[in-house]
Amino acid sequence: MSEHDSVIEELFQEEEGLTDKQKKIIIAAVESFSEKGYAATSTSEIAKKAGVAEGTIFRHYKTKKDLLMGIVSPMMAKLIAPFVIKDLYKVIDHKYERYEDFLRAMMENRIAFLKNNMPLLKILIQEIPFHPELKEQFKEHIACKVFERFVNLVEFYQKKGQIINIPSYSAVRMTFTSIFGFLITRYLILPEAEWNDEEEIELTIQFIMHGLSVKS
Amino acid sequence: MSEHDSVIEELFQEEEGLTDKQKKIIIAAVESFSEKGYAATSTSEIAKKAGVAEGTIFRHYKTKKDLLMGIVSPMMAKLIAPFVIKDLYKVIDHKYERYEDFLRAMMENRIAFLKNNMPLLKILIQEIPFHPELKEQFKEHIACKVFERFVNLVEFYQKKGQIINIPSYSAVRMTFTSIFGFLITRYLILPEAEWNDEEEIELTIQFIMHGLSVKS
Amino acid sequence: MSEHDSVIEELFQEEEGLTDKQKKIIIAAVESFSEKGYAATSTSEIAKKAGVAEGTIFRHYKTKKDLLMGIVSPMMAKLIAPFVIKDLYKVIDHKYERYEDFLRAMMENRIAFLKNNMPLLKILIQEIPFHPELKEQFKEHIACKVFERFVNLVEFYQKKGQIINIPSYSAVRMTFTSIFGFLITRYLILPEAEWNDEEEIELTIQFIMHGLSVKS
Amino acid sequence: MSEHDSVIEELFQEEEGLTDKQKKIIIAAVESFSEKGYAATSTSEIAKKAGVAEGTIFRHYKTKKDLLMGIVSPMMAKLIAPFVIKDLYKVIDHKYERYEDFLRAMMENRIAFLKNNMPLLKILIQEIPFHPELKEQFKEHIACKVFERFVNLVEFYQKKGQIINIPSYSAVRMTFTSIFGFLITRYLILPEAEWNDEEEIELTIQFIMHGLSVKS
DNA sequence: GATGAATGAGGTTTCATTCAT
DNA sequence: AATGAATGAAACCTCATTCAT
C-alpha cells in the first residue's frame, strides 16, 4: 500500500481502457455523489463538472446507477482486500503477540486507506441503505468475510487470555464501532474541528483495549 | 416518557390543528423517506400512500422540504429533551454516584426512545449530511448543548477519580460512538439477526466503563 | 350506427371522465400517428399540436405506448362489434336469402365505418406488425372470432348451393382481401384520385360473387 | 430469374465495390427494418448486429435514410423489372391465348420473387406511407408503368371477349388485390399457419378468373 | 476503409408545485 | 380543507452523426 492509497487512482491505472473523459466523469461523479448524495445529483450536473457532454456519460455507463456501481464496487473490494489475504492467519500468529499489536497495525493501515478515500466512503455509507445490490455486496463481503475473520481472531486472543470472555461477535462489534465512530466523527461530522489524529487513534486503541482486556 | 414514546404520536396529540389527512401524510412521508431517502421519494408517491390528493400535501407544507423539516425537527427536539432540562445537574449530582449509574439510566431511556422512532432516526442520520439547515440544527443542539453537558459530566466524574484522565471530549466521543454503534448495528445494519438486547446493552455499558474507568 | 360513426367521438361520449385536454391529446395523437407513424411521432409534437403541456400527456397515459393502445383498442373493439352480436346467426338465417345480400349489407355498414375512421385504420394497419400486444388482440378478435363466424356463414351458403365448393376459409380470405383491397386502394394508396364509390363497391361485390358463386 | 431470386444477393453481385462489412450492414439493416420498422431501428443496433463499428455505416451511407433507400430502391426496380421489358407486348400476344395463362405465368414468377424477398417487401409496404420519395418512386413506377401495362392487357383481353366489360382499371385493381391479398395473408399475417401454397394460388387464380370472365 | 469515443439535440418520462373548482 | 388536472422545468437516456486516429 503506497501513501496515496487512492481507489480512484488505482482504478485508473488498473483498468486500461479508460479514456480521459471517462476519468473526468468518475472524478466528477464521486465529488457530486459525495456532496449531495446519489439521488440528488443529476447526470447533467456531473457532465458539466466533468467538462463532458451528457451523452458521453451514457456511452460508458448504461445508466446512472451503473455509474454508481462502477464507483462503489471497486471501493468495497479494496476496502476488504487486506482481510481476505489467505494466509492472514499465519502471519498474524507469529507477528502479533497481542490483540493490541494486531489492532494497531490493522487500524493504521485501514485508517490511512479511508483517509485517502473519504468521499468514496461517504458515498458507500450513504447509499448502502437504499440499494439492495450494495447491501448484498456489503453483507457478503464485509459482514461475512471480514467479520468472520475478526471473530476468529478475537477468539484466538480470548484463548490466550488477553481478551475478556464475552461473546466474540460482541467484542468485534465494539472494536469496529469504536474505530468507525472515530472515523465518522473525525472526517464526516466534524472535519473542520482541529484534531490531533495520532493521539486520538492511540486513545481509541487504548479505549478498546481497556474495554476488552482482562484486568491484570 | 411513556412506553410508547413515539415522536409522531406525540406530535399528533400536541398539535391540535392536525386533520386526519395531515396525519396520514406524515405517516406516509416518514415511511417513504426512511425507506428510499428524501431525494428519491416523490410527493406523488407520498400522496398515494397517504390516500390523499397531491395538492393536499402542499396545502399543509409549502414545499417538499417543509415536509421533511416538519418531520425531522420535532424528532431532534424530543431526542435532546432530557439533556436540556435545566436542573439536570442537580438531579445528577445527588442521584448518580457513579458515571456508570448515570450512563445506564440515560442509555435505557434514550435507547427506548430511539427504538420507538427508528424510521425517524434513520431519516435524521441519512439527511443531515445533505441539508445545511439540518446540519446547523444538529450542531447547535446536539453537538453543542448535549455534547457540552456530557463533557461537564465526564469532567465531574474525572474529578471524582472514576474516569481516566483523557481529554473529556474524547471520553464523550467514545461513550457516544459505542452507544450509537450498538444502535445502528442493532437496528439498521442487522435488524433481522437475533439479538439479546438486554445482554448487549449491559455489555456495551461494561465496555465503555472498562474502557474509561480508572483501574483499581 | 349513425352517419357519424366515429370511434373517437363515441369514445368521448362513452368515457365520461375525459377532460377537454385529454380529448385534444387523443385527436392530436391520432393525426400524428396516422401521418408519420407511431415511432416517428414525438410526444412533444403531440403536446404542441394539442395545445397542451407535455406533462399532461403523461398524466393521462403512463407511457407513449399506453396512448397508442388507448387509441387503437377501442378502434378494434368497434370494428368487430357487429360480428360478435350473439344472435347474428338467427338474424342472418332469416334475413339474407343469399350470400350477396349479406355481403352487401355488411360491407355497406363496415365500409361506412372505416370511411369515418380512416386515420385510425391506418394506425391499426401500420402498427400491428410492430407491437406484439396489438398482434395478439388482432388475432384473438379479428382472426379468430370474426373469421370463424364468416367461415360458418360461408359454409352455410355452400350447403345451400350458392357458393362453390372450395375450402371455406379460402372463400373468406378472398372476400376479405377484395373488400380491404378496395378500401386500401381507395383511401390509402390513391385517395386523391376520383372515385365513383358506389359503382366501385357494387363492382367489388359483383367480383366476389362471380368469383365464388356456383355457375348456373 | 434464378431460383434464388434474391434482391440482396443480386445487389452484392452486381455492385462490385461492396466490402464485406458493407454487405453485413445491409443484411443487418434489412433484418431490423423489417422486424421493427425504420423509425424504431437505431443505427447502433444495426452496427451491433452487423458486427461493425457505428461509424462504418456512415462511411457508406451519408445518413440513415440513405441506407433505407439503398435497400428499398433496388427492390422496387427488381420488382417491376419484368413489366418494363419493352416488348412484353409482342411476347404476350403470341404466347398467352387467355388472360388466365398470362396471369398464371406472371403470378408464379412474381410470387416466387416476393417469397424470396419478404423482408424487403415488408419494409417497402411499411415505409412507403411515410416517405414521400418512396411514395413518388412507387407511384411513378408501379402505379403508372405497371398499372398502365396491366390496363392495356386487360383491355386487350376484353376486346377478345374474355373479360367482362367493367372499367379496365377496376379489373386490374381486383386482380392485384386478390394476389397481394393472398401474399400478405400468407406471408405477413399468418405465416405460421399451414398453407398448401399451390392449391391456394390456383384457387386465387380461379377466383380472379371467375370474377372477371364472361359467363359462357 | 474502419474504428469507436464524443457530441448535442431531442426523446420519453418524472416531479414539485399551482390553481380552479 | 381537499381535490386532481395542469404545468413546465428538469430528469434520465437515446440517437444520428462527426472526427481524430
Side-chain angles (χ1 to χ4, degrees):
Chain A
M1 296 294 143
S2 76
E3 280 256 296
H4 302 285
D5 203 6
S6 157
V7 170
I8 295 176
E9 278 172 28
E10 281 188 42
L11 199 72
F12 290 169
Q13 281 164 10
E14 284 171 23
E15 300 213 16
E16 304 206 339
L18 296 185
T19 67
D20 211 50
K21 306 243 167 189
Q22 201 164 351
K23 290 178 189 172
K24 282 182 189 161
I25 290 167
I26 290 174
I27 290 166
V30 168
E31 194 178 321
S32 288
F33 286 164
S34 164
E35 273 169 22
K36 322 177 50 179
Y38 168 79
T41 301
S42 76
T43 50
S44 82
E45 197 186 329
I46 295 170
K48 208 173 289 166
K49 186 176 275 179
V52 147
E54 206 171 346
T56 308
I57 293 175
F58 292 94
R59 186 145 277 285
H60 296 293
Y61 301 92
K62 262 175 74 70
T63 64
K64 188 187 168 194
K65 191 151 199 176
D66 256 31
L67 176 56
L68 175 64
M69 294 305 164
I71 283 170
V72 164
S73 284
M75 167 70 180
M76 201 109 81
K78 300 269 192 245
L79 179 60
I80 61 166
F83 301 99
V84 291
I85 297 160
K86 282 186 185 167
D87 47 0
L88 179 66
Y89 255 110
K90 294 177 219 153
V91 177
I92 286 160
D93 282 328
H94 304 296
K95 205 169 174 187
Y96 307 114
E97 198 66 32
R98 301 173 303 164
Y99 186 56
E100 186 173 352
D101 299 331
F102 162 74
L103 209 59
R104 190 168 281 114
M106 206 40 121
M107 245 182 101
E108 270 168 23
N109 179 288
R110 290 298 80 189
I111 287 180
F113 172 82
L114 290 175
K115 257 201 230 178
N116 290 326
N117 293 284
M118 264 302 141
L120 275 176
L121 179 64
K122 203 178 163 198
I123 297 173
L124 194 64
I125 291 174
Q126 295 292 349
E127 299 307 330
I128 279 179
F130 303 135
H131 305 270
E133 322 85 294
L134 280 182
K135 216 168 194 162
E136 213 43 56
Q137 267 187 55
F138 175 79
K139 264 190 196 154
E140 198 176 327
H141 295 130
I142 312 283
C144 294
K145 287 194 190 134
V146 176
F147 192 82
E148 188 189 6
R149 251 155 223 252
F150 252 90
V151 165
N152 288 334
L153 258 164
V154 163
E155 285 171 358
F156 172 79
Y157 288 107
Q158 280 178 325
K159 276 183 203 131
K160 285 179 92 172
Q162 291 181 21
I163 293 185
I164 52 172
N165 246 337
I166 59 170
S168 49
Y169 55 81
S170 295
V172 173
R173 171 170 64 71
M174 285 160 193
T175 303
F176 273 28
T177 58
S178 296
I179 295 170
F180 276 95
F182 163 61
L183 283 171
I184 289 169
T185 314
R186 167 68 183 88
Y187 291 104
L188 300 182
I189 301 181
L190 292 167
E192 69 276 21
E194 281 184 30
W195 289 82
N196 182 341
D197 281 349
E198 282 188 28
E199 191 192 349
E200 288 294 331
I201 292 174
E202 191 51 34
L203 278 171
T204 304
I205 292 179
Q206 290 303 326
F207 174 68
I208 297 170
M209 290 317 301
H210 282 149
L212 295 180
S213 64
V214 173
K215 302 276 170 61
S216 52
Chain B
M1 298 293 145
S2 74
E3 280 256 297
H4 302 284
D5 201 7
S6 157
V7 170
I8 296 178
E9 279 172 28
E10 282 188 41
L11 198 72
F12 291 168
Q13 281 164 10
E14 284 172 24
E15 301 214 16
E16 302 206 341
L18 296 184
T19 68
D20 210 50
K21 305 243 167 191
Q22 201 164 351
K23 291 178 187 173
K24 281 182 189 161
I25 290 168
I26 291 173
I27 290 167
V30 168
E31 194 176 321
S32 287
F33 286 165
S34 164
E35 274 169 21
K36 321 177 48 179
Y38 168 78
T41 300
S42 73
T43 49
S44 82
E45 197 187 327
I46 295 170
K48 206 175 290 164
K49 187 177 273 177
V52 147
E54 290 200 53
T56 308
I57 292 175
F58 292 90
R59 184 144 290 281
H60 298 291
Y61 301 92
K62 255 175 75 74
T63 65
K64 187 186 167 192
K65 194 151 200 174
D66 259 28
L67 176 54
L68 175 65
M69 294 306 165
I71 283 169
V72 164
S73 285
M75 167 71 179
M76 203 110 80
K78 299 269 191 247
L79 179 60
I80 61 168
F83 301 98
V84 291
I85 297 162
K86 284 185 185 167
D87 47 0
L88 180 65
Y89 256 111
K90 295 176 220 154
V91 176
I92 286 160
D93 279 329
H94 305 295
K95 204 170 177 186
Y96 307 113
E97 197 64 33
R98 301 173 303 164
Y99 186 55
E100 186 174 350
D101 299 333
F102 162 73
L103 208 58
R104 190 169 280 116
M106 208 39 122
M107 242 182 105
E108 267 167 26
N109 180 287
R110 289 298 82 187
I111 286 179
F113 173 80
L114 290 174
K115 257 201 232 178
N116 289 327
N117 294 283
M118 264 300 140
L120 276 177
L121 178 63
K122 204 179 162 198
I123 296 172
L124 194 64
I125 292 175
Q126 296 292 348
E127 299 306 331
I128 280 179
F130 304 134
H131 304 270
E133 320 86 294
L134 279 182
K135 216 168 193 162
E136 215 43 56
Q137 266 187 55
F138 174 79
K139 265 191 195 152
E140 197 176 328
H141 295 131
I142 313 280
C144 294
K145 288 196 189 133
V146 177
F147 192 83
E148 188 189 7
R149 258 162 217 248
F150 251 90
V151 165
N152 288 335
L153 258 163
V154 162
E155 285 171 357
F156 172 79
Y157 288 107
Q158 280 178 325
K159 276 182 203 133
K160 285 180 91 169
Q162 290 180 20
I163 291 184
I164 53 174
N165 247 336
I166 59 171
S168 51
Y169 56 81
S170 296
V172 173
R173 172 171 63 71
M174 284 161 196
T175 302
F176 274 28
T177 57
S178 295
I179 294 169
F180 275 95
F182 164 62
L183 283 171
I184 288 170
T185 314
R186 167 68 181 87
Y187 290 104
L188 299 181
I189 301 181
L190 291 168
E192 69 276 20
E194 281 184 29
W195 289 83
N196 182 339
D197 281 350
E198 284 189 24
E199 191 191 350
E200 288 293 330
I201 292 175
E202 188 52 35
L203 279 170
T204 304
I205 292 178
Q206 290 304 326
F207 174 70
I208 298 169
M209 290 317 301
H210 281 151
L212 295 180
S213 65
V214 173
K215 300 281 170 58
S216 55
Chain C
M1 299 293 146
S2 75
E3 280 256 297
H4 303 284
D5 201 6
S6 158
V7 170
I8 295 177
E9 280 174 27
E10 282 188 41
L11 199 71
F12 290 169
Q13 282 165 8
E14 284 172 24
E15 300 213 18
E16 304 208 339
L18 296 184
T19 68
D20 211 49
K21 305 244 169 189
Q22 200 165 351
K23 290 178 189 172
K24 281 183 190 160
I25 289 168
I26 291 174
I27 290 166
V30 168
E31 195 177 321
S32 288
F33 286 165
S34 163
E35 274 169 20
K36 322 179 49 181
Y38 168 78
T41 301
S42 76
T43 50
S44 82
E45 197 186 329
I46 295 170
K48 208 172 289 165
K49 185 176 277 178
V52 147
E54 208 169 345
T56 308
I57 294 175
F58 292 92
R59 186 144 277 285
H60 297 292
Y61 301 93
K62 263 175 73 72
T63 64
K64 188 186 167 194
K65 193 151 197 174
D66 255 31
L67 176 56
L68 175 65
M69 294 305 164
I71 283 171
V72 164
S73 284
M75 168 70 180
M76 202 108 81
K78 299 269 191 246
L79 179 60
I80 62 166
F83 300 101
V84 290
I85 297 162
K86 283 188 185 165
D87 47 1
L88 180 67
Y89 256 109
K90 296 176 219 152
V91 177
I92 286 160
D93 281 327
H94 306 296
K95 203 169 175 189
Y96 307 113
E97 198 64 31
R98 300 172 304 164
Y99 186 56
E100 186 174 350
D101 299 331
F102 161 74
L103 208 58
R104 189 167 282 114
M106 207 40 123
M107 245 182 101
E108 269 169 25
N109 178 288
R110 291 296 82 189
I111 287 178
F113 172 82
L114 290 174
K115 257 201 235 178
N116 289 327
N117 293 283
M118 264 303 139
L120 275 177
L121 178 64
K122 204 180 162 195
I123 297 173
L124 193 65
I125 292 174
Q126 295 293 349
E127 299 306 330
I128 279 180
F130 303 135
H131 305 270
E133 322 85 296
L134 279 183
K135 216 168 193 163
E136 213 44 55
Q137 265 188 54
F138 175 79
K139 264 191 196 155
E140 198 176 326
H141 294 131
I142 313 281
C144 294
K145 286 193 192 134
V146 176
F147 192 83
E148 188 189 6
R149 255 158 221 249
F150 252 89
V151 165
N152 288 335
L153 258 164
V154 163
E155 284 170 358
F156 172 79
Y157 288 107
Q158 280 178 325
K159 276 183 203 135
K160 285 179 92 172
Q162 290 181 21
I163 292 184
I164 52 173
N165 248 334
I166 58 171
S168 50
Y169 56 81
S170 295
V172 174
R173 172 171 62 72
M174 285 160 194
T175 302
F176 273 28
T177 57
S178 295
I179 294 169
F180 275 94
F182 163 62
L183 284 170
I184 289 169
T185 314
R186 168 67 182 86
Y187 291 103
L188 300 181
I189 302 182
L190 291 168
E192 68 275 22
E194 282 184 27
W195 289 83
N196 181 339
D197 281 350
E198 285 189 26
E199 190 192 349
E200 288 294 330
I201 292 174
E202 189 53 34
L203 279 171
T204 304
I205 292 178
Q206 290 304 327
F207 174 69
I208 297 169
M209 290 316 301
H210 282 149
L212 295 180
S213 63
V214 173
K215 301 281 170 59
S216 52
Chain D
M1 297 296 142
S2 76
E3 280 255 299
H4 304 283
D5 202 5
S6 157
V7 171
I8 296 177
E9 279 173 27
E10 282 187 42
L11 198 72
F12 290 169
Q13 281 164 10
E14 284 170 23
E15 300 212 18
E16 302 206 342
L18 296 184
T19 68
D20 210 50
K21 305 243 166 189
Q22 200 164 351
K23 290 178 188 173
K24 281 183 189 160
I25 290 169
I26 291 174
I27 290 167
V30 168
E31 195 177 320
S32 287
F33 287 165
S34 163
E35 274 169 21
K36 322 177 50 179
Y38 169 79
T41 300
S42 73
T43 49
S44 82
E45 197 187 327
I46 294 169
K48 206 175 291 164
K49 187 177 272 178
V52 147
E54 290 199 55
T56 308
I57 293 174
F58 292 90
R59 184 144 292 281
H60 298 291
Y61 302 91
K62 257 175 74 75
T63 65
K64 186 186 168 193
K65 194 151 199 174
D66 259 28
L67 176 56
L68 175 65
M69 294 305 165
I71 283 170
V72 164
S73 285
M75 168 70 181
M76 201 109 81
K78 299 268 193 247
L79 178 61
I80 61 168
F83 301 100
V84 291
I85 297 162
K86 284 185 184 168
D87 47 0
L88 180 65
Y89 256 111
K90 294 177 221 155
V91 177
I92 286 159
D93 280 328
H94 306 293
K95 205 171 173 187
Y96 307 112
E97 198 66 30
R98 302 173 302 165
Y99 186 57
E100 185 174 349
D101 299 332
F102 162 74
L103 208 59
R104 189 168 283 115
M106 206 41 120
M107 246 183 100
E108 269 168 24
N109 179 287
R110 291 297 82 189
I111 287 180
F113 172 82
L114 290 174
K115 256 201 233 178
N116 289 326
N117 293 284
M118 263 301 139
L120 276 176
L121 177 63
K122 205 179 160 196
I123 297 173
L124 194 64
I125 292 175
Q126 296 292 350
E127 299 306 330
I128 279 179
F130 304 134
H131 304 270
E133 321 85 295
L134 279 182
K135 214 167 194 162
E136 214 44 55
Q137 266 187 53
F138 174 80
K139 262 189 196 155
E140 197 177 327
H141 295 130
I142 312 279
C144 294
K145 287 195 191 133
V146 175
F147 192 83
E148 188 188 9
R149 257 162 219 247
F150 250 90
V151 165
N152 287 335
L153 258 164
V154 162
E155 285 171 357
F156 171 79
Y157 288 105
Q158 280 177 324
K159 276 179 204 140
K160 284 179 91 172
Q162 290 181 22
I163 292 183
I164 52 172
N165 247 335
I166 59 172
S168 50
Y169 57 81
S170 295
V172 173
R173 173 173 61 73
M174 284 161 195
T175 302
F176 274 27
T177 58
S178 295
I179 295 169
F180 275 94
F182 163 62
L183 283 171
I184 289 169
T185 314
R186 167 68 181 86
Y187 291 103
L188 299 183
I189 301 181
L190 290 168
E192 69 276 21
E194 282 184 27
W195 289 84
N196 182 339
D197 281 351
E198 284 189 24
E199 191 192 350
E200 288 293 329
I201 292 174
E202 189 52 35
L203 279 170
T204 304
I205 292 179
Q206 290 303 327
F207 173 69
I208 298 170
M209 291 316 302
H210 282 150
L212 295 180
S213 64
V214 173
K215 301 279 172 63
S216 55

